[in-house]
């Protein structure tokens, strides 16, 4: 399969790495805005550099285009690609504006339009989902997504909520179910953007939850990302996305723990969650099926973030249904 990558930045390198090394794909081009940087990236991965999107599409005729651009610059290029009809894989966030998200989805119609919510493909997350689906936790009653790290600075005062916590919204809905309403507290005390948030969530299944964290923090801290889900029969905790999963049954002091073993160290590599997602994307695309994570999930995460912003600005709980 002929694959082209739009974007020559940091995470875009993972796109180039994956599609240049797979035996079932050919990386036919990398598009960037800076000629020298794009040339160096293309040389590293044995492909052709481009700075003109139309030229790349015309010459290379890709069968899949992946898009990895600066967080607040997704819309124009994505819309142009959607209108070509080429199958797409875009990085999160989808966009920062709900009207733009709706425009992209309307233009795309039934075409293949995937978004990279790669957290879903972490081994602890998939095992947690299996435990929940099997009823091992009983009725879910409480969930929390706690996060930390260094800030991503952007033009939007809510860049961290929209760009990074789209993963949080998506994962909580995947594991617990749809969020029905949100109430938000946020502060911009450190550098003028809302880098620290506390959200209270109601789920449609009557569980409650929180999203709590700060990007005035550090990824060096242990458990800088932690998901805890409680049910009437048990509790699970996902540690740092890929590091470990712990599971306890109610009343049992013995804790079960998953961690990667000597021969499956791939599963503790965060970048490897993207490789796993690509496996599923290519399988679906070749079979003529919808993408495993449709761009609609990006629109939903943005809707939840906008509800949180509205709640903070108005001081009231906001429905998300």
């Amino acid at each position: 399969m002929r694959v082209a990558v739009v974007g020559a930045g940091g995470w875009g390198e993972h796109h180039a790495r994956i599609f240049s090394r797979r035996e079932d794909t050919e990386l036919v081009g990398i598009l960037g805005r800076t000629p020298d940087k794009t040339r160096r990236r293309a040389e590293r991965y044995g492909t052709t550099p481009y700075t003109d999107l139309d030229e790349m599409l015309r010459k290379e005729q890709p069968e899949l285009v992946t898009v990895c651009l600066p967080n607040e610059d997704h819309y124009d290029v994505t819309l142009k690609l959607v209108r070509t009809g080429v199958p797409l894989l875009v990085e999160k966030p989808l966009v920062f504006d709900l009207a733009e998200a709706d425009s992209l989805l309307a233009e795309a119609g039934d075409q293949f339009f995937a978004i990279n919510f790669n957290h879903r493909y972490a081994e602890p997350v998939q095992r947690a989902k299996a435990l929940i689906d099997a009823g091992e936790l009983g009725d879910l009653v409480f969930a929390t997504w706690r996060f930390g790290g260094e800030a991503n600075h952007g033009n939007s005062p809510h860049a961290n909520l929209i760009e990074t916590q789209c993963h949080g919204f998506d994962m909580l809905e995947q594991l617990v179910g749809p969020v029905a309403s949100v109430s938000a507290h946020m502060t911009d005390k450190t550098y003028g953007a809302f880098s620290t948030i506390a959200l209270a969530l109601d789920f449609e299944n009557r569980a409650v939850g929180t999203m709590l964290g700060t990007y005035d923090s550090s990824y060096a801290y242990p458990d800088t990302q932690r998901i805890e889900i409680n049910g009437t029969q048990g509790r699970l905790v996902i540690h740092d996305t890929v590091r470990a999963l712990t599971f306890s049954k109610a009343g049992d002091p013995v804790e079960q723990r998953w961690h990667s073993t000597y021969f499956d160290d791939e599963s503790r590599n965060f970048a490897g969650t993207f490789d796993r997602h690509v496996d599923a994307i290519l399988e679906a695309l070749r079979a003529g099926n919808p993408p495993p994570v449709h761009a609609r999930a990006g629109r939903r995460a943005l809707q939840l973030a906008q509800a949180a912003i509205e709640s903070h600005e108005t001081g009231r709980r906001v429905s998300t249904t």
Side-chain angles (χ1 to χ4, degrees), residues 22 36-37 51 57 69 99 117 219 221 239 245 260 272 307:
R22 293 183 66 102
D36 287 346
K37 181 179 179 181
T51 55
L57 294 174
L69 294 172
F117 280 156
Y219 286 111
Y221 298 157
H239 304 267
L245 169 69
S260 62

Side-chain angles (χ1 to χ4, degrees), residues 132-152:
I132 292 168
D133 289 348
E136 293 290 335
L137 274 70
D139 290 333
L140 302 184
V141 293
F142 170 74
T144 188
W145 173 285
R146 196 189 72 197
F147 64 90
E150 287 80 19
N152 288 325

Side-chain angles (χ1 to χ4, degrees), residues 187-237:
T187 180
D188 60 354
K189 67 176 292 184
T190 54
Y191 66 94
F194 293 97
S195 53
T196 301
I197 65 170
L199 308 183
L201 308 172
D202 278 335
F203 294 89
E204 288 185 10
N205 62 10
R206 299 183 64 203
V208 295
T210 63
M211 288 178 62
L212 175 67
T214 179
Y215 285 107
D216 300 304
S217 180
S218 175
Y219 286 111
Y221 298 157
D223 256 6
T224 193
Q225 185 186 94
R226 176 186 171 100
I227 304 171
E228 179 181 331
I229 300 176
N230 285 260
T232 55
Q233 297 179 22
R235 183 191 79 161
L236 63 80
V237 179

Side-chain angles (χ1 to χ4, degrees), residues 40-59:
R40 291 193 298 269
R41 176 67 55 81
E43 288 176 351
R44 187 177 308 146
Y45 293 99
T47 191
T48 305
Y50 290 93
T51 55
D52 184 279
L53 178 60
D54 292 326
E55 181 187 11
M56 184 179 73
L57 294 174
R58 183 178 67 256
K59 287 185 176 180

Side-chain angles (χ1 to χ4, degrees), residues 5 12-21 27 30 41 45:
V5 172
E13 184 151 20
H14 288 293
H15 290 237
R17 169 186 62 80
I18 290 171
F19 293 107
S20 67
R21 296 179 183 177
L27 181 62
I30 295 176
R41 176 67 55 81
Y45 293 99

